[in-house]
Amino acid sequence: MFVVSLTYKVPDETVDFHRAGHMAWLKDAFDAGVFLASGRRVPAVGGVLLSKADRATLDASLAKDPFYINGVAEFEVIEFTATSVAEGYENLLDT
């Protein structure tokens, strides 16, 4: 499983300019099954994505994000093995 942490590198106005494209990309990636969850960081300095896709699929998807293409955010990809989950989230376990 992967946690992707995005950190904005540009002023808020530039982030806002590219946000609609980022959200459209995100919807397509969710529809394709790449991501399980996403959201803004608090405070709003970037975002977080959760993925169970394989690394090649994840990287290919991230490369299409307007935030990546336009240098809006840095992307840190953290891989981890989910070995314990709360009841109802068994689909997140790595088998």
Side-chain angles (χ1 to χ4, degrees), residues 3-79:
V3 174
V4 182
S5 177
L6 286 71
T7 303
Y8 300 140
K9 306 186 316 184
V10 298
D12 291 344
E13 301 79 31
T14 305
V15 173
D16 291 342
F17 179 81
H18 293 285
R19 189 176 312 279
H22 170 75
M23 296 308 292
W25 162 81
L26 192 57
K27 181 190 179 312
D28 290 344
F30 267 103
D31 290 348
V34 177
F35 297 115
L36 301 171
S38 69
R40 292 183 181 169
R41 290 173 50 184
V42 178
V45 296
V48 176
L49 306 165
L50 181 63
S51 177
K52 277 198 73 169
D54 62 83
R55 182 63 189 255
T57 300
L58 176 61
D59 287 345
S61 181
L62 292 174
K64 296 176 184 174
D65 182 353
F67 280 3
Y68 177 80
I69 293 167
N70 294 290
V72 173
E74 286 183 346
F75 290 67
E76 180 184 9
V77 179
I78 302 163
E79 184 173 7

